[in-house]
Amino acid sequence: MRAAVICEFNPFHHGHQYLLEQIKKEYAEEIVCIMSGSFVQRGDIAVTDKYARTKAALEGGADMVVELPTVYAVSGAPIFA
């Protein structure tokens, strides 16, 4: 089974790693993260670049990271997710 996580990981931290570990432990063998790119919700610039955040997510348990298009990433929660 696979799971998807819509995320920013701005920046990736231990809580995010715990979330991914628990998803793998209880629900899915593989996790795809749909992550915002250079801009995050409400149009802010990400704290670290999308490549560093992608690397951290992969090292933290994600199996694949794809970029959420900017038009959705900079929107409020109902559109973001």
Side-chain angles (χ1 to χ4, degrees), residues 43-81:
D44 290 336
I45 298 171
V47 173
T48 57
D49 69 66
K50 62 186 177 183
Y51 303 105
R53 293 181 3 253
T54 297
K55 182 179 180 198
L58 292 169
E59 291 173 350
D63 295 291
M64 174 188 266
V65 178
V66 296
E67 186 172 350
L68 180 66
T70 302
V71 67
Y72 300 110
V74 298
S75 298
I79 295 172
F80 177 84

Side-chain angles (χ1 to χ4, degrees), residues 1-71:
M1 182 183 286
R2 292 185 183 107
V5 176
I6 301 170
C7 57
E8 292 184 337
F9 296 154
N10 187 39
F12 191 86
H13 54 71
H14 293 294
H16 295 132
Q17 183 172 355
Y18 179 78
L19 170 72
L20 297 178
E21 288 171 356
Q22 292 305 303
I23 290 171
K24 282 194 171 181
K25 181 178 176 183
E26 297 184 27
Y27 302 105
E29 296 174 8
E30 298 175 307
I31 302 172
V32 176
C33 290
I34 306 166
M35 187 176 72
S36 57
S38 299
F39 296 93
V40 294
Q41 268 191 305
R42 293 170 293 285
D44 290 336
I45 298 171
V47 173
T48 57
D49 69 66
K50 62 186 177 183
Y51 303 105
R53 293 181 3 253
T54 297
K55 182 179 180 198
L58 292 169
E59 291 173 350
D63 295 291
M64 174 188 266
V65 178
V66 296
E67 186 172 350
L68 180 66
T70 302
V71 67

